[in-house]
Amino acid sequence: MSLKDAYRDLFPIGAAIAPMWAYKPEFDTLITSEFSSLTAENIMKPMMIMDHDATIASGDPVNTVQNFAETDKMLSWAKERGIRMRFHVLVWHGQTPWWFFKENWSDDKDAPDASPELMLKRMEAWIRDVMTHVNTSFPGVVYCWDVVNEAIEPEHGAPGLFRTKSPWYHILGEEFVPAAFRFARRYQAPDQQLYYNDFNSFQPDKQEAIIAVLKKLQAEDLVDGMGMQGHLQMQWPAIADFEKAARAYAALGLSLQVTELDIHCPTALENGQALLADRYGELFSTLVRMKRDGIDLRSVTFWGVTDRTSWLTGFRREGSSPMLFDDTLSPKAAYNAVIDAAR
Ligand code: 9MR
């Protein structure tokens, strides 16, 4: 019994992965047998697609020149294996080159910002290009788009709704969110869903702020779903609080996905792997119950596959064992707990 088989009648189970791992034969086998959805951990982010030199050489002030080589490789890899993909990500403050926000594509940090009018044109051109390319070259592979990621101020109790340090916000103000969704609606394929995605979206203040934004988007029918990232701690949040938030998003009439799931489990924690299994088990039992209650949960994606491929041990260099598979690619106790929760 694999994850995707155990959850076949519930929701797709996904993983985020980088090419350096995915294409290794042993990962290929594991991913293909366990997962039914895939997210590119980094290679489909603006910074990885926009080609600075080619953009400057083009002399075009609006359109970036894209390099889709890695994107295409992963889309075709997924397609060959019958795995559908979430596209992460179109509009985000992170991993978007800052020259994208400058006049003349300047890589000088002190160069003047592009005007709001120009930035809106660039946003449209970027979204149009990516969606058109993906949907023309690989029709049917991408089933949803993270249109806007992490637009809401993350600090608990912070005054503003929006993350003011985002260059998108800095230039366009809060209008950047509906603008991105309007363009995405214009260029999406009919069967694709548009998502707003954020972390700590179970935290009450942040949830309230996100819901305000979602309602505005819904008034124009611009958004289909809420992506709750799910980078969780061992004790925080209480799963009941996660559930409460998930139900609040679903009550808006949106579909729901858990898009980036991992649980920080310190390697040194005594009995850590058993506790991790309990926590994953509790979370998945809750998700399964919600699904059976009629909540429109459309997929759950782990942010990584093995402990070593997790951003927590890689990018963050934590002594952490957060995933379902260990470094020999063997399933851990947490894997069994997730399978059991589907029964
Ligand atoms: O896992 C990603 C890591 O390898 C990055 O390079 C990092 C840079 O910010 O982004 C990580 O992925 C993030 C995702 O794109 C958006 N939500 C938070 C994720 C973890 O930081």
Side-chain angles (χ1 to χ4, degrees):
M1 181 61 96
S2 67
L3 292 169
K4 73 173 182 192
D5 289 336
Y7 282 83
R8 191 172 300 278
D9 299 331
L10 290 158
F11 37 78
I13 301 282
I17 193 80
M20 65 177 286
W21 301 109
Y23 307 149
K24 288 181 194 295
E26 64 275 25
F27 276 90
D28 186 340
T29 308
L30 182 74
I31 292 168
T32 308
S33 58
E34 295 290 343
F35 298 102
S36 44
S37 171
L38 200 68
T39 308
E41 186 180 1
N42 285 302
I43 58 164
M44 297 183 194
K45 292 171 174 174
M47 178 185 253
M48 308 297 282
I49 295 178
M50 294 172 175
D51 182 329
H52 193 204
D53 291 343
T55 300
I56 288 187
S58 77
D60 185 330
V62 173
N63 299 279
T64 45
V65 177
Q66 325 316 345
N67 178 348
F68 287 117
E70 288 294 329
T71 295
D72 288 359
K73 200 171 161 191
M74 191 170 275
L75 285 167
S76 91
W77 189 90
K79 186 181 172 192
E80 279 163 22
R81 286 155 184 76
I83 303 177
R84 299 184 81 201
M85 292 198 69
R86 314 186 74 255
F87 189 100
H88 179 77
V89 48
L90 291 170
V91 170
W92 187 28
H93 63 276
Q95 289 172 288
T96 303
W98 40 270
W99 55 260
F100 181 63
F101 299 97
K102 295 292 185 185
E103 266 182 19
N104 305 318
W105 313 114
S106 172
D107 57 5
D108 176 352
K109 281 206 167 134
D110 297 325
D113 287 336
S115 68
E117 296 72 27
L118 180 56
M119 244 9 262
L120 269 182
K121 286 187 188 156
R122 286 183 181 178
M123 178 195 265
E124 174 168 13
W126 158 250
I127 291 175
R128 183 197 61 224
D129 246 34
V130 176
M131 285 186 142
T132 307
H133 172 84
V134 166
N135 289 335
T136 308
S137 307
F138 301 93
V141 176
V142 167
Y143 65 98
C144 69
W145 299 83
D146 283 338
V147 177
V148 175
N149 191 39
E150 301 171 7
I152 299 302
E153 181 59 57
E155 295 306 321
H156 188 73
L161 222 62
F162 287 88
R163 181 194 291 269
T164 50
K165 287 207 180 91
S166 162
W168 284 115
Y169 182 84
H170 182 71
I171 297 175
L172 289 171
E174 60 185 77
E175 173 56 18
F176 91 87
V177 179
F181 277 91
R182 273 182 217 118
F183 296 137
R185 262 291 182 255
R186 189 171 303 163
Y187 299 110
Q188 70 169 111
D191 59 340
Q192 292 172 330
Q193 288 221 314
L194 303 184
Y195 271 71
Y196 175 75
N197 190 48
D198 215 328
F199 62 89
N200 294 358
S201 51
F202 43 79
Q203 197 189 45
D205 285 354
K206 191 161 178 177
Q207 179 196 318
E208 197 182 311
I210 292 172
I211 285 180
V213 170
L214 290 172
K215 281 185 171 167
K216 278 195 189 161
L217 293 172
Q218 282 187 294
E220 278 185 66
D221 187 28
L222 296 176
V223 66
D224 302 304
M226 172 64 199
M228 297 181 74
Q229 289 188 6
H231 299 290
L232 310 183
Q233 310 285 334
M234 289 297 282
Q235 307 281 349
W236 183 85
I239 299 302
D241 290 341
F242 190 93
E243 174 178 3
K244 206 169 147 201
R247 285 181 182 272
Y249 294 120
L252 298 174
L254 295 171
S255 65
L256 203 71
Q257 295 187 16
V258 180
T259 54
E260 304 182 16
L261 178 60
D262 50 26
I263 301 177
H264 295 246
C265 180
T267 310
L269 180 67
E270 194 181 336
N271 213 16
Q273 289 307 299
L275 295 170
L276 182 71
D278 290 348
R279 186 138 169 89
Y280 270 120
E282 188 189 353
L283 176 64
F284 274 84
S285 305
T286 303
L287 296 173
V288 167
R289 179 165 43 73
M290 283 169 47
K291 179 74 185 186
R292 291 184 175 141
D293 283 354
I295 300 288
D296 188 12
L297 178 58
R298 299 251 178 145
S299 67
V300 177
T301 293
F302 292 92
W303 203 247
V305 175
T306 65
D307 288 336
R308 201 163 149 225
T309 70
S310 161
W311 74 294
L312 297 173
T313 59
F315 185 75
R316 278 248 191 124
R317 307 212 169 283
E318 288 179 9
S320 194
S321 313
M323 308 313 297
L324 300 194
F325 297 91
D326 68 18
D327 295 339
T328 68
L329 279 64
S330 302
K332 307 197 298 188
Y335 174 91
N336 298 326
V338 171
I339 298 266
D340 287 346
R343 294 215 169 99

